Amino acid sequence: MEDDYSNGDINVETSKADRSVWLMKCPPIVSKAWQSSAASASVDSPPVAKVVVSLDLLQPDDSSALQFTMEMAGSEVVNMPKSYSLNMSKDFVPMGVFSESSTQGRSAMEGKVEHKFDMKPHHANIEEYRKMCRERTNKSMVKNRQIQVINNDRGVHMRPMPGMMGLITSTSKDKKKPAPVKGNDMKRTRRDRGELEDIMFKLFENQPNWTLKQLVQETDQPAQFLKEILNELCIYNKRGTNQGTYELKPEYKKSVEDTGAEP
């Protein structure tokens, strides 16, 4: 189909609208590895990964018996897990996949989402994943300090001008101190998602239960951004002695505990 830009209308190619596609949520390190492979891809480039489907031959019609595993074809990232479990979910809002050509500006519907998957490191590779998380945590805790050289070595902008000393002394007593800016009024800048996950693991290693308010103060991150990560990594306690707090999911909690036990 051709686009009609004269009257502002844009036509969408729908020849592939009925094609079934999979929607997969993957860890940031996998996404970066695939983007790097796509940037250097050629016609003869090998596949970046393969999906292995296991089924029960005694119950071939039972979709719940299906198990999906993804194996990475190869990666230059050190300690990156090579095998991942794909947890399939069918309870999601119907969605479609669209694409747009950057050169021609044409839009097309590539298909409709049939299955949704959450990608997690396979239990066989959990040791590699722990080592990678420790390395990222240690790297994120290192603060790079910078020194800026002032070209004006006479310090004109840093010392008070003549007559300002008395003015500052006389008015400082009468002038009220400005009210401190509340934490909610400050604009918080989002960290890199992988870096923030490492900091969260470190915090939960020191203390098993945290409230959202405490984590906002510790990480200095927007509350909504923290909630997105907490929903992936943690369980929210709605009742009991730890009501209103978050704690790591069992698979991540075991990883953090084993990491803390190592010398």
Side-chain angles (χ1 to χ4, degrees), residues 152-165:
N152 185 1
D153 57 355
R154 294 178 296 175
V156 175
H157 301 288
M158 300 177 64
R159 65 171 180 255
M161 300 300 292
M164 292 296 292
M165 292 297 294

Side-chain angles (χ1 to χ4, degrees), residues 171-182:
T171 57
S172 60
K173 296 180 180 179
D174 302 330
K175 189 175 180 181
K176 295 182 179 179
K177 294 183 179 179
V181 180
K182 295 181 179 180

Side-chain angles (χ1 to χ4, degrees), residues 57-124:
L57 297 179
L58 300 178
Q59 298 176 340
D61 298 330
D62 186 5
S63 59
S64 61
L66 290 175
Q67 294 184 354
F68 297 86
T69 304
M70 176 169 287
E71 297 180 359
M72 303 293 291
S75 175
E76 298 178 356
V77 181
V78 181
N79 297 327
M80 177 178 174
K82 299 298 187 295
S83 182
Y84 295 84
S85 299
L86 302 181
N87 300 329
M88 185 172 63
S89 173
K90 292 186 177 180
D91 186 15
F92 59 89
V93 179
M95 291 177 285
V97 179
F98 294 84
S99 65
E100 184 178 3
S101 173
S102 58
T103 56
Q104 301 178 355
R106 295 187 176 183
S107 301
M109 185 172 183
E110 301 295 339
K112 57 183 179 180
V113 177
E114 181 179 4
H115 297 301
K116 179 183 177 183
F117 295 90
D118 288 327
M119 186 177 180
K120 296 182 179 180
H122 199 268
H123 60 83

Side-chain angles (χ1 to χ4, degrees):
M1 297 183 182
E2 295 184 357
D3 299 342
D4 184 8
Y5 292 100
S6 59
N7 56 6
D9 295 335
I10 299 178
N11 295 326
V12 179
E13 174 64 46
T14 59
S15 60
K16 301 178 181 178
D18 295 331
R19 184 174 61 171
S20 297
V21 297
W22 290 3
L23 176 65
M24 185 171 60
K25 188 176 184 181
C26 60
I29 189 171
V30 177
S31 176
K32 292 179 181 179
W34 285 348
Q35 290 176 2
S36 177
S37 300
S40 58
S42 61
V43 179
D44 300 330
S45 298
V48 294
K50 66 177 180 179
V51 177
V52 179
V53 182
S54 303
L55 54 86
D56 187 353
L57 297 179
L58 300 178
Q59 298 176 340
D61 298 330
D62 186 5
S63 59
S64 61
L66 290 175
Q67 294 184 354
F68 297 86
T69 304
M70 176 169 287
E71 297 180 359
M72 303 293 291
S75 175
E76 298 178 356
V77 181
V78 181
N79 297 327
M80 177 178 174
K82 299 298 187 295
S83 182
Y84 295 84
S85 299
L86 302 181
N87 300 329
M88 185 172 63
S89 173
K90 292 186 177 180
D91 186 15
F92 59 89
V93 179
M95 291 177 285
V97 179
F98 294 84
S99 65
E100 184 178 3
S101 173
S102 58
T103 56
Q104 301 178 355
R106 295 187 176 183
S107 301
M109 185 172 183
E110 301 295 339
K112 57 183 179 180
V113 177
E114 181 179 4
H115 297 301
K116 179 183 177 183
F117 295 90
D118 288 327
M119 186 177 180
K120 296 182 179 180
H122 199 268
H123 60 83
N125 303 106
I126 195 64
E127 189 61 35
E128 295 180 2
Y129 190 69
R130 289 181 199 155
K131 187 174 181 180
M132 182 186 64
C133 289
R134 286 196 300 269
E135 292 176 353
R136 292 195 318 184
T137 301
N138 295 334
K139 187 181 295 185
S140 65
M141 299 301 288
V142 177
K143 295 183 179 180
N144 297 324
R145 299 181 182 273
Q146 297 180 351
I147 299 176
Q148 183 176 0
V149 179
I150 300 176
N151 296 328
N152 185 1
D153 57 355
R154 294 178 296 175
V156 175
H157 301 288
M158 300 177 64
R159 65 171 180 255
M161 300 300 292
M164 292 296 292
M165 292 297 294
L167 180 62
I168 295 174
T169 305
S170 60
T171 57
S172 60
K173 296 180 180 179
D174 302 330
K175 189 175 180 181
K176 295 182 179 179
K177 294 183 179 179
V181 180
K182 295 181 179 180
N184 295 336
D185 298 334
M186 298 175 61
K187 290 185 178 179
R188 296 184 170 92
T189 304
R190 289 191 176 192
R191 290 177 176 267
D192 177 73
R193 192 180 188 91
E195 178 183 351
L196 182 56
E197 287 181 359
D198 294 337
I199 296 176
M200 299 280 283
F201 282 131
K202 194 71 175 179
L203 290 173
F204 279 101
E205 182 179 348
N206 298 330
Q207 179 178 316
N209 294 89
W210 292 83
T211 63
L212 178 62
K213 183 177 180 180
Q214 290 174 330
L215 290 172
V216 170
Q217 294 175 349
E218 290 288 333
T219 61
D220 193 28
Q221 293 295 292
Q224 186 60 35
F225 184 41
L226 275 177
K227 283 184 179 179
E228 295 178 7
I229 297 180
L230 287 171
N231 290 337
E232 295 181 11
L233 304 180
C234 301
I235 300 173
Y236 181 71
N237 297 307
K238 298 182 179 179
R239 58 181 64 88
T241 56
N242 297 320
Q243 182 178 3
T245 63
Y246 290 89
E247 63 178 83
L248 288 177
K249 292 180 179 179
E251 57 266 30
Y252 295 113
K253 184 183 296 185
K254 185 177 185 304
S255 175
V256 171
E257 291 176 351
D258 294 346
T259 302
E262 294 181 3

